[in-house]
Amino acid sequence: MSAIKYELIKEDKRSGARVGKIITPHGEIPTPIFMPVGTRATVKAMLPESLKEINAKIILGNTYHLYLRPGDDIIKKAGGLHKFMNWDRPILTDSGGFQVFSLSKTNDITEEGVTFRSHIDGSRHFISPEKSMEIQNNLGSDIMMAFDECVPYGADKKYTKDSLEMTTRWAKRCKEAHKNTEHQGLFGIVQGGMFKDLRKQSAEQLIDLDFPGYALGGLSVGEPMDMMFDLLDYTTPLLPKDKPRYLMGVGSPDALLEGVKSGIDMFDCVLQTRMARNGTALTSAGKVTLKNAKYKEDFTPLDDKCDCYVCRNYTKAYLRHLVICKEILSSMLVSYHNLYFTLKLMENMRNAIMEDRFLEFKHEFEKEYGII
Ligand SMILES: CC1(C)O[C@@H]2[C@@H](CO[C@@]3(CNc4nc5cc6c(=O)[nH]c(N)nc6cc5[nH]4)OC(C)(C)O[C@@H]23)O1
Ligand SMILES: [Zn+2]
């Protein structure tokens, strides 16, 4: 019996968009949903109470980072990641493979697993599918991701095919090593690079292994946006309708709209909080770069269409002042607004799908945001 169940509530008649609900041991998640990224047991500059205020339903943690610091053994002793970070809602943990490739300098990939040097102190480590399962089990996340190889953008077809076939073998090993099936669900990750036939092969092989949910990996890795959207449109419908689909590492408002249109249910991205720390806000009229001198005496809210705590209590001039002075509060307030804006966009998409006006909503948003 899987710890993760999905209920399909409504399908859009004119696109792949759909509304659903994911039921997890730590609560229910309405979909489509955006998941704030809490890599090292914190969504940067956000209190758990603030995350609840903006209606965050699920956050991400990361196996690679938490294994290196503070150590999954310490988090286990603390009673698991939920207790350790004071977050009692669902948590999804990525499996570590991707971070090894994107963060650590030297890594040696074999059938057994990956040997790498820590990006923190250069110490040598080894992660296998079994080790990734052990770490995620110690963390106690509601949704665990299979250990996979994310091939770099531009990898050739032979390498990509060999890699996806190893990722399938690793997924099988993860499933066999996955013990705590009552309390933790395990999602497979579709690879296949930029090749549609390999994406199909990867999806079919993982569907045969029967996971409670499927992620699209190997995207948002530097490929052109329209290439990602084309692969999305092709691959998403290959996945089971009665299981959640998760697009890893995506994304900006335009990518979220396209992903929902293709039938994606779950998203995560560091963009919202990373941009905030650089003083850039997402608003209904597009991006606002607060450092711009034109905001020096602009005493209007960040976004006059946003009803969040930040837009109700502060002005662009004040936020610009905080950013220029590199005040810690600037990261807190702009992160709060960017995440609220993104979660509100997902809620508005869910409502539009329920009311059979998703494509109209998408067009209106894109026009006002400046995408079209
Ligand atoms: C969009 C934005 C701002 O997000 C940033 C930066 C560069 O892209 C990101 C986001 N893209 C991304 N693609 C992924 C693919 C996989 C994957 O195939 N497997 C597994 N296990 N996890 C994955 C996680 C992923 N995250 O990846 C890092 C390098 C984490 O920084 C993120 O641009
Ligand atoms: Zn706001």
Side-chain angles (χ1 to χ4, degrees):
M1 203 265 280
S2 170
I4 301 298
K5 285 177 203 56
Y6 175 72
E7 277 175 33
L8 176 58
I9 294 168
K10 181 165 171 77
E11 292 182 279
D12 184 37
K13 298 181 185 65
R14 295 176 287 160
S15 76
R18 72 221 200 118
V19 163
K21 180 167 74 174
I22 302 173
I23 298 145
T24 82
H26 279 89
E28 296 186 359
I29 304 160
T31 61
I33 193 72
F34 177 82
M35 304 182 283
V37 177
T39 305
R40 294 191 291 231
T42 161
V43 176
K44 295 187 188 319
M46 293 291 288
L47 288 167
E49 288 71 18
S50 302
L51 286 168
K52 288 187 174 178
E53 249 173 49
I54 64 173
N55 227 355
K57 296 291 186 192
I58 174 171
I59 61 171
L60 249 68
N62 189 285
T63 296
Y64 169 83
H65 292 276
L66 294 171
Y67 158 76
L68 289 177
R69 246 181 343 190
D72 53 294
D73 51 332
I74 288 179
I75 294 177
K76 183 177 183 179
K77 283 180 192 148
L81 187 54
H82 289 87
K83 201 148 170 15
F84 187 57
M85 68 182 291
N86 183 34
W87 177 256
D88 60 3
R89 293 183 178 182
I91 296 176
L92 180 149
T93 45
D94 196 354
S95 51
F98 182 76
Q99 283 69 33
V100 167
F101 303 117
S102 63
L103 280 176
S104 70
K105 294 271 171 307
T106 53
N107 52 66
D108 172 33
I109 308 165
T110 66
E111 185 67 33
E112 194 43 36
V114 183
T115 304
F116 64 94
R117 287 196 178 282
S118 160
H119 71 291
I120 299 164
D121 60 12
S123 54
R124 278 168 64 82
H125 298 269
F126 173 75
I127 292 193
S128 64
E130 293 77 11
K131 180 66 180 168
S132 176
M133 292 297 104
E134 181 194 336
I135 297 167
Q136 294 183 75
N137 183 242
N138 287 340
L139 299 176
S141 47
D142 300 84
I143 300 174
M144 299 159 62
M145 299 309 292
F147 189 71
D148 62 328
E149 182 188 11
C150 170
V151 295
Y153 173 56
D156 68 36
K157 190 156 192 178
K158 169 148 182 23
Y159 184 89
T160 304
K161 180 172 171 58
D162 293 345
S163 171
L164 84 82
E165 288 167 352
M166 183 175 70
T167 284
T168 300
R169 294 191 296 272
W170 282 1
K172 192 165 184 298
R173 285 168 54 188
C174 285
K175 198 172 160 103
E176 286 157 2
H178 178 28
K179 299 278 174 285
N180 192 11
T181 53
E182 288 279 296
H183 301 103
Q184 296 182 279
L186 173 62
F187 281 16
I189 304 178
V190 174
Q191 292 293 345
M194 306 299 142
F195 306 98
K196 286 180 178 174
D197 55 340
L198 297 186
R199 285 276 166 187
K200 186 168 188 291
Q201 181 190 349
S202 177
E204 286 171 347
Q205 290 180 347
L206 292 172
I207 291 166
D208 284 349
L209 292 173
D210 186 25
F211 288 102
Y214 296 89
L216 291 181
L219 294 173
S220 185
V221 289
E223 75 281 10
M225 233 13 163
D226 54 351
M227 187 183 280
M228 180 175 81
F229 294 158
D230 184 40
L231 282 164
L232 260 189
D233 257 349
Y234 173 77
T235 314
T236 309
L238 302 177
L239 298 173
K241 273 189 187 283
D242 62 344
K243 304 274 177 73
R245 297 114 168 223
Y246 166 25
L247 176 54
M248 304 185 89
V250 174
S252 53
D254 48 334
L256 296 172
L257 286 157
E258 283 303 324
V260 169
K261 181 167 167 269
S262 300
I264 297 291
D265 306 301
M266 302 161 76
F267 301 87
D268 85 273
C269 196
V270 296
L271 193 73
Q272 283 72 7
T273 41
R274 185 179 291 180
M275 287 170 79
R277 294 193 300 280
N278 297 330
T280 303
L282 295 168
T283 77
S284 45
K287 285 183 199 167
V288 168
T289 305
L290 285 160
K291 286 176 185 150
N292 194 314
K294 70 180 177 184
Y295 300 122
K296 202 167 184 173
E297 297 184 22
D298 183 335
F299 304 111
T300 63
L302 196 46
D303 184 344
D304 58 11
K305 297 228 172 18
C306 180
D307 61 352
C308 87
Y309 161 73
V310 175
C311 294
R312 283 185 284 108
N313 292 286
Y314 305 97
T315 65
K316 291 190 188 78
Y318 176 68
L319 293 170
R320 178 180 180 278
H321 160 66
L322 294 181
V323 171
I324 296 290
C325 300
K326 295 191 180 4
E327 282 293 343
I328 291 169
L329 188 61
S330 73
S331 293
M332 293 167 69
L333 296 179
V334 186
S335 296
Y336 185 106
H337 164 80
N338 282 0
L339 287 175
Y340 180 93
F341 176 84
T342 304
L343 290 165
K344 184 59 81 177
L345 170 59
M346 304 312 289
E347 181 187 345
N348 290 339
M349 280 199 256
R350 295 194 296 267
N351 294 338
I353 294 165
M354 291 307 289
E355 296 159 15
D356 292 318
R357 54 180 177 78
F358 171 70
L359 291 178
E360 289 75 14
F361 169 79
K362 178 172 181 290
H363 183 77
E364 275 313 301
F365 182 94
E366 289 170 340
K367 211 164 62 182
E368 191 166 349
Y369 192 77
I371 301 167
I372 52 176

